[in-house]
Amino acid sequence: MRKVAFKTLAASAVAAIFASGAYGGAVLAPDSDEELRPTGKGWGERAQPGHANPHGSPNTNGISYHGGPLILGTTNVYYIWYGNWSGNTANNILTDLASSIGGSSYFNINTSYYDGNNMSVSNSVHYAGSTPDSYSHGTALSDSAVQGVVSDAITSGRLPKDTNAVYFVLTSSDVNETSGFCTQYCGWHTHGTISGSDIKYSFVGNPDRCPSACEAQTTGPNGNAGADGMASIISHELEEAVTDPDLNAWYDRRGEENADKCAWTFGTTYTVANGALANMKLASRDYLIQRNWVNASGGYCSVSY
Ligand SMILES: [Zn+2]
């Protein structure tokens, strides 16, 4: 996801991103009528001729199913802590998030999405483990290097090979992602073939690298602005990954996936002891997490379903 539709930067930021053509070389202006498919980075690109949404059909909820698989049953979450995270409370904050988001009324929004057999996403997430990676691919990661980080963790046996999972590459604030972290997106998700299996993974950088672009507030509810910002971005990518893991399931005609439609909107907030805003409590922690699109009742952004 990238930070758009937030504060007053939104319109110019969207125009700049759509004009840049940084992905697919065919990124269209927002007023185009042509259907787009998702890139996983929060904006659409032109579908290849002959591959344009073969199963796509509009429904009444503002988002459409395009025939691809969803992640069904319990979704496993793995973290790869890339770079230097020593002494950072992010590990506790984000492990707690992955351990408590399943079963919440927030994640339950994803149960409004289903596949061609009418099988719906489950409100079940399991935090399945983590591994450190001390700069194996340096401090400037390309998209393919991110997949390399995931591949290395699996092929070395540090993490299991799991096709019902999302692997998050979480980078410390001294690490860049050179395809556009902080300028085009704050995180993204995609999939790739690793050891012969379709593996879903996501990049989420530490937004302390660029607070004005990727943090909703500079004091987070858990006292760690970077990790609190990542909690919102991880949640966004996770809900997109379960409803559109291979970028061919649920998205709208602009190529926006469920969470993209509500990016950087939070609904009703409250203030916690340190002055930060929050909008939900998961287990013992408060978080400020962007809303997600409910695929029911005409479609709407919400923090619960
Ligand atoms: Zn997104």
Side-chain angles (χ1 to χ4, degrees), residues 23-275:
Y23 277 86
V27 178
L28 299 185
D31 59 359
S32 167
D33 246 10
E34 184 171 357
E35 291 210 358
L36 306 180
R37 66 181 185 186
T39 60
K41 291 188 169 71
W43 65 89
E45 65 181 7
R46 183 178 291 141
Q48 289 170 5
H51 296 80
N53 305 342
H55 306 283
S57 60
N59 72 11
T60 56
N61 294 326
I63 193 166
S64 299
Y65 179 57
H66 295 81
L70 281 59
I71 297 181
L72 300 175
T74 297
T75 300
N76 292 318
V77 168
Y78 298 93
Y79 286 156
I80 300 170
W81 295 94
Y82 188 91
N84 177 14
W85 288 95
S86 65
N88 194 311
T89 57
N91 196 309
N92 294 327
I93 294 166
L94 299 178
T95 300
D96 286 352
L97 173 74
S99 303
S100 59
I101 193 170
S104 66
S105 58
Y106 174 66
F107 198 81
N108 198 52
I109 291 171
N110 299 297
T111 67
S112 65
Y113 294 83
Y114 47 86
D115 70 7
N117 298 317
N118 261 331
M119 297 293 291
S120 296
V121 170
S122 295
N123 187 3
S124 179
V125 177
H126 174 60
Y127 172 67
S130 72
T131 185
D133 183 322
S134 183
Y135 303 103
S136 66
H137 289 65
T139 58
L141 300 177
S142 64
D143 288 359
S144 62
V146 173
Q147 180 165 324
V149 169
V150 178
S151 179
D152 288 354
I154 292 171
T155 58
S156 67
R158 288 182 288 127
L159 293 177
K161 187 173 78 171
D162 187 342
T163 57
N164 224 63
V166 184
Y167 295 79
F168 286 90
V169 176
L170 308 174
T171 57
S172 50
S173 59
D174 55 338
V175 174
N176 193 22
E177 213 289 18
T178 56
S179 69
F181 177 48
C182 288
T183 58
Q184 310 244 9
Y185 56 77
C186 305
W188 49 260
H189 77 97
T190 190
H191 69 119
T193 301
I194 294 176
S195 298
S197 296
D198 184 49
I199 299 297
K200 279 67 74 175
Y201 63 95
S202 169
F203 163 82
V204 177
N206 188 335
D208 275 347
R209 188 175 179 86
C210 49
S212 66
C214 292
E215 284 175 5
Q217 55 187 349
T218 50
T219 298
N222 295 288
N224 182 332
D228 280 309
M230 292 171 81
S232 182
I233 299 163
I234 288 170
S235 301
H236 174 119
E237 302 304 336
L238 178 62
E239 55 215 21
E240 291 180 346
V242 297
T243 55
D244 194 27
D246 293 339
L247 311 183
N248 59 4
W250 285 94
Y251 55 91
D252 71 10
R253 66 191 319 281
R254 302 305 312 159
E256 291 198 329
E257 299 169 310
N258 59 355
D260 292 328
K261 295 170 74 65
C262 307
W264 300 99
T265 72
F266 300 94
T268 304
T269 58
Y270 55 93
T271 304
V272 303
N274 69 357

